[in-house]
C-alpha cells in the first residue's frame, strides 16, 4: 500500500490533470516494465510527504513521460463528459418541480413563436413609424426652407425698397446729421467782401450765430418747401378724386341693386296677389261643393236611419220569434246570435240535471274523505313504528360509541408505552447531520 500511494502521487504530479482523480482507479500496466501490479489511489497525504524523496527517485528510475499521451487525453475527456452529464442529471433529479410536474415543451415553443411574431410585428411597426417620422421631418424641412426663402425674399425686397426709395440723402432734415457736412461747408471768411480787405492779421475769423449764405439757403428751403407742399397737394387731390370716383361707383351699384330689388318685390307681390285670388276662388268652389255633398249625405243618412229603425222594430229579433233561431244542423243546435233563451220545460230539465250532478259530487267527496282518513290512520301507525325503531338504533349506536372510546383509550395507552420503549431503548442514539448528508449525493 505504501508503494501504491507513492506511485499514485507520482502519476498525479507528472501526468495530465483529471486522468487519475477517481478515488478507486486501477493504474495502467504500461507504466511498469515488469510485475503487472494493480494499485489504487489514496488520500493519505502524510504518507506522500514522508516518502517524497523516495517517490522522486522512483520516478527517475521508471523514467515517466512529462506529457500526457493521446490515450490519456481521451480518458480525461471521457471522465469530464461523464461528470458533466452527472451534474446535469443532478439538476433534473434533485429539482422536485421538474421531477414531478415536468416541462410543457410544446407550450414553451408556442410562447417562443408568439414572442418572435410579436417582436417582428413591433419591429415592422417601428419601421413604419420611423418612415412616417422621416417623411414628416422631410416635409417640415421643406416647408421650413420655403418659409426661410420667402423670408429672405421679403427682406431683400424691403432692403431694395429702402435703398431706392428711402435713402438718407432724401430726408428733409438730412443736413442736420450729415456726417460730411464739414467737408461740404466752406471755410470761415473765405470772401465776405471781395478779397476781405476789412480782415486783418489779428482779426477774428467767425462768430457764433453768423451765416454768410443765409439768403441763398432760405430761398432754397422755401423752394423746396413749396415743391413739397405742391406734391402733397397733388397727392391729396388725386386720393380725393379716387375716393369720390369709388363712392360714386358704389352709389351707382347700390342704386341699381335697390331698383332691381324693388322691381323683384313688385313682381313677387303681383304674383302673390294673383295666387291668393286663385286660391280664394278655388276654396269658395270647394266649400260650396263640400256643403252640397254634406247636405246630400245628411239627407241619405237620415233616410237610412229611418229604414233601419223600421226594420228593427218589425224584425224577428225584437219580436223574439223562435223560428229565427232554428238552424239547419238540428233542433238542438240553434243560432247563437238569434237565440233568446230556453222555455220553462227546458229550464226544469236543466235544473234537475244540475241537482243530480250536485248529489253525485257530494257522494264522491264523502268517499274521498273516508279514504283519506284511513290513509292517515295507517301513516300514524307507520310513524310510531319508525320512531320506536330509530330510538332502538340510537341506543345501540351510543353503546357502540362507548365501546369504541374505551378501545381507543386502551390503544392510546398501549401506543404511548410502545413509543416510550422506542425512545428510551431502541432509538437511544440520535443520528447526526452527517448521517443524513451521505444520502442523495448521486443520482444512481
Amino acid at each position: 500500500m505504501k508503494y501504491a500511494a507513492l506511485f499514485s502521487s507520482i502519476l498525479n504530479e507528472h501526468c495530465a490533470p483529471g486522468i487519475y482523480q477517481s478515488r478507486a482507479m486501477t493504474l495502467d500496466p504500461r507504466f511498469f516494465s515488469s510485475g503487472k501490479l494493480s494499485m489504487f489511489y489514496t488520500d493519505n497525504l502524510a504518507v506522500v510527504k514522508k516518502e517524497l524523496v523516495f517517490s522522486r527517485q522512483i520516478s527517475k528510475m521508471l523514467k515517466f513521460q512529462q506529457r500526457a499521451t493521446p490515450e490519456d487525453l481521451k480518458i480525461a475527456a471521457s471522465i469530464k463528459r461523464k461528470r458533466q452529464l452527472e451534474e446535469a442529471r443532478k439538476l433534473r433529479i434533485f429539482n422536485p418541480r421538474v421531477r414531478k410536474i415536468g416541462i410543457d415543451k410544446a407550450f414553451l415553443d408556442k410562447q417562443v413563436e408568439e414572442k418572435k411574431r410579436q417582436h417582428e410585428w413591433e419591429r415592422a411597426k417601428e419601421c413604419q413609424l420611423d418612415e412616417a417620422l422621416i417623411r414628416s421631418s422631410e416635409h417640415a424641412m421643406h416647408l421650413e426652407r420655403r418659409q426661410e426663402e420667402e423670408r429672405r425674399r421679403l427682406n431683400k425686397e424691403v432692403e431694395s425698397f429702402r435703398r431706392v426709395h428711402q435713402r438718407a440723402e432724401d430726408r428733409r432734415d438730412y443736413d442736420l446729421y450729415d456726417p460730411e457736412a464739414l467737408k461740404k461747408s466752406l471755410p470761415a471768411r473765405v470772401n465776405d467782401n471781395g478779397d476781405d480787405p476789412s480782415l486783418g492779421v489779428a482779426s477774428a475769423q467767425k462768430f457764433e450765430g453768423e451765416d454768410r449764405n443765409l439768403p441763398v439757403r432760405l430761398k432754397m428751403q422755401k423752394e423746396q418747401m413749396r415743391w413739397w407742399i405742391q406734391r402733397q397737394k397733388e397727392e391729396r387731390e388725386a386720393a380725393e378724386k379716387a375716393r369720390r370716383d369709388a363712392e360714386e361707383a358704389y352709389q351707382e351699384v347700390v342704386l341699381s341693386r335697390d331698383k332691381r330689388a324693388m322691381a323683384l318685390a313688385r313682381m313677387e307681390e303681383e304674383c302673390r296677389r294673383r295666387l291668393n285670388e286663385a286660391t280664394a276662388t278655388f276654396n269658395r268652389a270647394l266649400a260650396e261643393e263640400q256643403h252640397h255633398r254634406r247636405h246630400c249625405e245628411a239627407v241619405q243618412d237620415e233616410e237610412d236611419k229611418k229604414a233601419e229603425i223600421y226594420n228593427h222594430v218589425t224584425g224577428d229579433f225584437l219580436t223574439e220569434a223562435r223560428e229565427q233561431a232554428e238552424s239547419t244542423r238540428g233542433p238542438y243546435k240553434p243560432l247563437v246570435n238569434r237565440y233568446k233563451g230556453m222555455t220553462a220545460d227546458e229550464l226544469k230539465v236543466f235544473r234537475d240535471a244540475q241537482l243530480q250532478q250536485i248529489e253525485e259530487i257530494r257522494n264522491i267527496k264523502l268517499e274521498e274523505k273516508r279514504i283519506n282518513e284511513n290513509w292517515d290512520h295507517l301513516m300514524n301507525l307507520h310513524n310510531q313504528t319508525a320512531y320506536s325503531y330509530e330510538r332502538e338504533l340510537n341506543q345501540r349506536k351510543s353503546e357502540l360509541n362507548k365501546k369504541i372510546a374505551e378501545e381507543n383509550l386502551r390503544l392510546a395507552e398501549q401506543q404511548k408505552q410502545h413509543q416510550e420503549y422506542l425512545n428510551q431503548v431502541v432509538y437511544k442514539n440520535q443520528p447526526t447531520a452527517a448521517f443524513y448528508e451521505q444520502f442523495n449525493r448521486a443520482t444512481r
Side-chain angles (χ1 to χ4, degrees), residues 40-51:
F40 299 91
Y41 176 73
T42 182
D43 292 334
N44 195 349
L45 298 178
V47 177
V48 176
K49 291 180 180 180
K50 291 180 181 179
E51 302 297 337

Side-chain angles (χ1 to χ4, degrees), residues 117-133:
R117 289 198 298 268
Q118 183 69 18
H119 291 164
E120 292 176 356
W121 180 79
E122 291 178 356
R123 190 180 300 107
K125 187 175 181 181
E126 290 179 357
C127 292
Q128 293 178 0
L129 293 176
D130 293 339
E131 292 176 356
L133 181 61

Side-chain angles (χ1 to χ4, degrees), residues 157-200:
E157 291 179 358
V158 170
E159 196 65 29
S160 176
F161 180 82
R162 288 177 179 176
R163 286 196 302 268
V164 175
H165 301 285
Q166 294 182 350
R167 296 185 303 173
E169 294 82 1
D170 296 337
R171 298 176 184 176
R172 68 176 69 182
D173 54 351
Y174 178 71
D175 57 340
L176 300 178
Y177 53 88
D178 187 3
E180 297 182 356
L182 296 177
K183 295 181 180 179
K184 297 177 181 179
S185 63
L186 296 175
R189 300 301 183 210
V190 174
N191 190 3
D192 288 343
N193 296 319
D195 296 332
D196 290 337
S198 60
L199 297 178

Side-chain angles (χ1 to χ4, degrees), residues 4 64 67 102 111 173 272 288 308 364:
F64 287 122
R67 292 184 303 172
Q111 285 184 341
D173 54 351
R272 188 179 292 108
E288 293 176 356
E308 184 179 1
I364 290 171

Side-chain angles (χ1 to χ4, degrees), residues 43-68:
D43 292 334
N44 195 349
L45 298 178
V47 177
V48 176
K49 291 180 180 180
K50 291 180 181 179
E51 302 297 337
L52 183 59
V53 177
F54 182 73
S55 64
R56 288 177 181 175
Q57 293 177 359
I58 295 299
S59 63
K60 290 180 181 180
M61 181 176 62
L62 295 176
K63 295 181 181 179
F64 287 122
Q65 296 179 358
Q66 298 296 328
R67 292 184 303 172

